[in-house]
Amino acid sequence: MQTDAGEDGRSKPMEFFNYKGVKFAKHMIFSEENLHFVENEFQVLDDDIYNVTYPKSGTTWMIEILSLICSNGDVAKAKIKTVPNYTRCPWYESTIGMKQIETLTPPRILTSHLPCHIFAKSFFTSNAKIIYTIRNPKDIIVSWYHYGKISLLLQCPEDFEEHLDCFLKGDFLYGSWFDHVWGWIQMKSSKNFFFITYEELQQDLRGSVMRICDFLGKKLDEAAIDSVLENTSFNIMKDNKMANYSYAGKSAVDLSKGSFMRKGISGDWKNQFTVAQSERFDRIYREKMKNFPVKFNWDED
Ligand code: A3P
């Protein structure tokens, strides 16, 4: 995503606003007017596919997967080497995304971090589809912490303890992770909603891609599936300018300070959390996720 940041980094301290209980940054890609438009007037099309995530859950990975599935594994047709991911599959809730959408020819793949309660109302009476990717929140916290150091969009606390506190209080952009997953999981029985975890993608990418194809009603042959797997591998994406944000120049991230495609692993939280931080997180997690209708593999950790 692009920002109004200056050439050499963050231009000014970030200001925030609250839209229906959710925190947004007041820079050029978000505005209350646009969010109101997105929620109430944006016209979802029946053949739209929405890649929905809480930030740092595998959004960029799913953009590549969906781009390739929808093009039968054809790299040229998927435009993954020629068009930046944020233009190919725009964040529809951003003002920039709204403009980029005008250049798309349906069927569209759109990206969003919006919680369910402020998603476009027209989705709920359409035949459009949502793929919701969920990731172990401890890994999200770590991924976000490192992203904060290179992002010109975010200003994260430099102190990890403080960053963790903000997450647990829900004081993050796009609001509380707990609210996000509780909101979206209410859709789990809808035929238009499919959810998958980042960890499932990691453990069995082929099986995951086949499940996504089934949900989307796409029949890909073995060679096409092989192409999806090859071109969405961490190493290939890390080197792809159209996926690794180097194409965005210094408008979104400062890649001299780190990589957007950082580690791409599960369980990195173990290298960052202290035992006390992990125990504190677990206590709050257990309380907030009590009666959550789905069990995740990290619940056993
Ligand atoms: P890490 O910071 O843990 O490495 P998002 O796209 O939602 O912002 O999520 C970014 C996270 O997804 C980063 O995690 C990034 O490395 C990881 N990621 C992106 N593409 C990936 C891929 N092909 N395989 C594994 N992880 C990937």
Side-chain angles (χ1 to χ4, degrees), residues 140-180:
I140 291 178
I141 296 169
V142 173
S143 179
W144 197 318
Y145 179 63
H146 291 286
Y147 180 61
K149 295 178 187 169
I150 64 166
S151 173
L152 306 172
L153 272 169
L154 302 173
Q155 284 168 340
C156 290
E158 284 180 18
D159 177 44
F160 183 73
E161 181 83 18
E162 204 186 317
H163 176 70
L164 175 61
D165 276 350
C166 290
F167 182 91
L168 291 171
K169 281 191 276 183
D171 185 19
F172 260 37
L173 289 184
Y174 286 100
S176 152
W177 178 86
F178 298 102
D179 293 347
H180 209 279

Side-chain angles (χ1 to χ4, degrees), residues 14-80:
M14 202 150 280
E15 289 177 56
F16 301 100
F17 66 95
N18 187 300
Y19 184 81
K20 300 205 169 170
V22 181
K23 182 174 176 175
F24 289 92
K26 212 181 233 179
H27 47 58
M28 69 184 259
I29 70 164
F30 296 117
S31 74
E32 267 182 89
E33 297 71 37
N34 195 54
L35 289 169
H36 186 271
F37 172 82
V38 162
E39 183 189 357
N40 297 291
E41 288 164 55
F42 179 73
Q43 203 44 60
V44 166
L45 306 179
D46 281 333
D47 53 5
D48 281 349
I49 297 170
Y50 290 83
N51 168 28
V52 181
T53 58
Y54 189 79
K56 311 317 291 174
S57 302
T59 326
T60 315
W61 195 2
M62 190 55 76
I63 288 178
E64 299 304 273
I65 293 173
L66 293 176
S67 294
L68 281 155
I69 288 179
C70 292
S71 307
N72 285 310
D74 183 326
V75 171
K77 222 170 128 198
K79 300 184 180 158
I80 57 167

Side-chain angles (χ1 to χ4, degrees), residues 196 199-209 211 229:
I196 192 158
E199 291 70 17
E200 287 172 301
L201 296 173
Q202 286 265 353
Q203 279 154 17
D204 179 13
L205 187 56
R206 179 175 292 272
S208 301
V209 166
R211 285 169 57 211
L229 302 194

